[in-house]
Amino acid sequence: MSHTLGIRQAQKQKTRQSLLDAALGLLEEQSLSSLGLREVTRAVGVAPTAFYRHFRSTADLGVALVEEALGSLHPMIRTTVAAADTSEERIVRAVELIAHHVDTHPAHVRFIARERHGGVQPVREAIQGQLARFAEEVQAELAKDRESVGWSDDDLLMLAHLYVDQMLITASLFLEALEGSAEERERVAQVATRQLRLISIGRDHWQD
Amino acid sequence: MSHTLGIRQAQKQKTRQSLLDAALGLLEEQSLSSLGLREVTRAVGVAPTAFYRHFRSTADLGVALVEEALGSLHPMIRTTVAAADTSEERIVRAVELIAHHVDTHPAHVRFIARERHGGVQPVREAIQGQLARFAEEVQAELAKDRESVGWSDDDLLMLAHLYVDQMLITASLFLEALEGSAEERERVAQVATRQLRLISIGRDHWQD
DNA sequence: TCATCCAGTTAACAACTGTTCTCCGTAATT
DNA sequence: AATTACGGAGAACAGTTGTTAACTGGATGA
């Protein structure tokens, strides 16, 4: 692999990325369904018609943004759920990783939270597809634990969805607290940690 | 109270309600941030300028929709969390009530799920305010349980938020399954029930 | 009964939208 | 070196948007 791109394709990808970045920025204060194609090209400094060289529509651009925002997240999910001695350690580590990811990719997190139930169907479906994949990966990791003996696949997937949804809620809360004080963010972390802890306790006593 | 409205004010409220209803309908396939004022008035069959007699902007209308969608929900929350002999009974009842509410008010549920993280700040804040009130009410009901002795107020509120978020997730899943088969909706109910059950188990063993 | 109020109308405004077609310059291919 | 492929520019299109102003007619209150 790793074939050096021609200077033509390289420039094209550069423009495409600029469009994605500009769109992500504009989506800070609106939803995808109100994002105009001209609005995006204006922000990039390119002619409106250039947009069509890269995307069929803003909905199409939205789907690409889903890939960018969630596609690179799979390895992180794996390592988060995986390596840990105690489950308490795993919880603390997971919350830290979520907080860090929100710090470094706030616009991505906002986009996913906003468009997960948003007004653009193809984007909603893309997000739900990725989240379903996440849940399956979490399920696979959970299955490796010794706490999971006797669990049915259905129940493991049920628990995995609970974890994934909880991660999204926590990420969204961290996002709201981004501009807030350090104490505010600490409070979010505390609540999220205790919620995960409670779920973990429920898991331990599920078999009774 | 209960003063009979003049025929003038009655007509005004009628038009206002028509605007709210039309908007809710239009929001089935888009987000509030892309909802146009003319779009709404056109759907009602009224002049665009009439809109200003009722709302300052579509964002203002959105806030009114939040009141309509969530304001009347408080008593239901109370009765859901309250009366129940066993906690298992309470869980089943809660899921049933959520399913029923989604059946009878799908547009309201969709609106809340969509705009909770949507692109219009005042609406987001209105929803979060109402949800915070919900969480406090749930907390108050939980405090009455004998399972709650020894719990701090903070932990009870943490649990209440977990329940409220879980209710919203469940409602959103029911909404997606609305057009689907009966088996699909039953599967959603099963998963939601087991998730609530797991949380409930975690609650029972929290003190250890 | 008469003056006032006010929800809704009509007309007009500049600004904006997505989309098409035609063109240009240059990288890629032969 | 000649030809093709193609990302982007430019101009124009009909249609839309939010907002203002002045107006109408029927309910309201003296």
Side-chain angles (χ1 to χ4, degrees):
Chain A
M1 262 206 64
S2 167
H3 175 251
T4 309
L5 262 50
I7 124 167
R8 193 152 207 171
Q9 298 206 24
Q11 260 300 341
K12 177 167 185 181
Q13 288 211 352
K14 209 170 170 180
T15 310
R16 185 190 139 101
Q17 191 58 45
S18 298
L19 289 169
L20 288 171
D21 293 345
L24 208 51
L26 292 166
L27 285 173
E28 199 156 332
E29 9 187 59
Q30 64 181 312
S31 306
L32 182 64
S33 80
S34 65
L35 183 69
L37 148 177
R38 296 183 97 107
E39 200 177 348
V40 178
T41 56
R42 191 186 314 129
V44 174
V46 85
T49 49
F51 186 91
Y52 292 104
R53 302 289 183 196
H54 303 273
F55 307 102
R56 220 180 293 271
S57 63
T58 52
D60 196 24
L61 178 146
V63 173
L65 275 179
V66 175
E67 309 297 322
E68 178 174 302
L70 289 184
S72 64
L73 218 62
H74 289 267
M76 182 189 122
I77 293 278
R78 275 202 125 75
T79 57
T80 303
V81 186
D85 294 339
T86 65
S87 73
E88 176 65 20
E89 198 175 330
R90 169 148 59 178
I91 289 171
V92 172
R93 182 157 179 74
V95 174
E96 277 172 2
L97 271 174
I98 294 170
H100 179 258
H101 191 262
V102 173
D103 274 346
T104 54
H105 303 85
H108 280 160
V109 173
R110 175 176 292 116
F111 172 73
I112 295 300
R114 186 159 293 174
E115 301 303 330
R116 181 188 186 184
H117 306 283
V120 183
Q121 209 197 26
V123 173
R124 265 192 335 252
E125 286 171 356
I127 293 177
Q128 285 170 15
Q130 290 277 5
L131 292 184
R133 284 189 56 202
F134 279 157
E136 284 171 18
E137 290 176 18
V138 171
Q139 176 193 26
E141 289 299 326
L142 290 177
K144 295 177 185 171
D145 290 354
R146 44 181 156 67
E147 291 101 317
S148 300
V149 292
W151 281 65
S152 71
D153 282 0
D154 262 19
D155 280 349
L156 273 181
L157 190 57
M158 173 281 281
L159 179 60
H161 270 114
L162 194 54
Y163 277 129
V164 170
D165 285 334
Q166 195 57 29
M167 284 181 191
L168 253 75
I169 291 172
T170 302
S172 173
L173 287 174
F174 271 124
L175 189 63
E176 290 168 22
L178 244 193
E179 318 266 292
S181 62
E183 298 90 39
E184 201 179 337
R185 278 179 288 164
E186 183 54 33
R187 259 195 53 251
V188 171
Q190 287 289 341
V191 171
T193 303
R194 280 181 295 173
Q195 286 175 336
L196 284 178
R197 200 177 291 154
L198 190 143
I199 293 174
S200 178
I201 292 174
R203 182 191 180 196
D204 291 339
H205 295 81
W206 179 250
Q207 303 284 20
D208 326 343
Chain B
M1 261 204 67
S2 167
H3 176 249
T4 310
L5 261 47
I7 122 168
R8 193 155 207 169
Q9 297 207 25
Q11 261 298 342
K12 177 167 185 180
Q13 288 211 353
K14 209 169 171 180
T15 309
R16 184 190 140 99
Q17 191 58 48
S18 298
L19 289 169
L20 288 171
D21 292 347
L24 207 52
L26 291 166
L27 286 173
E28 199 155 332
E29 7 185 63
Q30 63 181 315
S31 306
L32 183 64
S33 80
S34 64
L35 183 69
L37 142 183
R38 297 183 97 107
E39 199 178 349
V40 178
T41 56
R42 190 186 314 128
V44 174
V46 87
T49 47
F51 185 92
Y52 291 105
R53 301 289 182 197
H54 303 274
F55 307 103
R56 220 179 293 267
S57 63
T58 53
D60 196 24
L61 178 147
V63 173
L65 275 179
V66 175
E67 309 295 323
E68 179 175 302
L70 290 184
S72 65
L73 219 63
H74 289 266
M76 182 190 121
I77 294 277
R78 275 203 124 75
T79 57
T80 304
V81 186
D85 294 340
T86 66
S87 73
E88 176 66 20
E89 199 175 329
R90 169 150 58 180
I91 289 171
V92 173
R93 182 159 179 74
V95 174
E96 278 173 1
L97 271 174
I98 295 171
H100 179 258
H101 191 261
V102 174
D103 274 346
T104 54
H105 303 85
H108 280 160
V109 173
R110 175 176 291 115
F111 172 73
I112 295 300
R114 186 159 292 172
E115 301 303 330
R116 181 186 186 186
H117 306 283
V120 183
Q121 208 198 28
V123 173
R124 262 189 343 248
E125 286 171 356
I127 293 176
Q128 285 170 14
Q130 290 277 3
L131 291 185
R133 284 189 55 201
F134 280 157
E136 285 172 17
E137 290 177 18
V138 171
Q139 176 193 26
E141 289 299 325
L142 289 177
K144 295 177 185 171
D145 289 356
R146 44 181 157 65
E147 292 100 319
S148 300
V149 292
W151 281 64
S152 71
D153 281 0
D154 263 19
D155 280 350
L156 274 181
L157 190 57
M158 172 281 281
L159 179 61
H161 270 114
L162 194 54
Y163 276 130
V164 170
D165 286 335
Q166 194 59 29
M167 284 181 190
L168 253 73
I169 291 172
T170 302
S172 173
L173 288 174
F174 271 125
L175 190 63
E176 290 168 21
L178 244 193
E179 319 264 292
S181 61
E183 297 90 41
E184 199 179 338
R185 277 178 291 164
E186 183 54 34
R187 257 195 54 253
V188 171
Q190 286 288 340
V191 171
T193 303
R194 280 182 295 173
Q195 286 175 336
L196 283 177
R197 201 176 291 155
L198 191 143
I199 292 175
S200 177
I201 293 173
R203 182 190 180 197
D204 291 339
H205 295 81
W206 179 252
Q207 300 286 16
D208 325 345

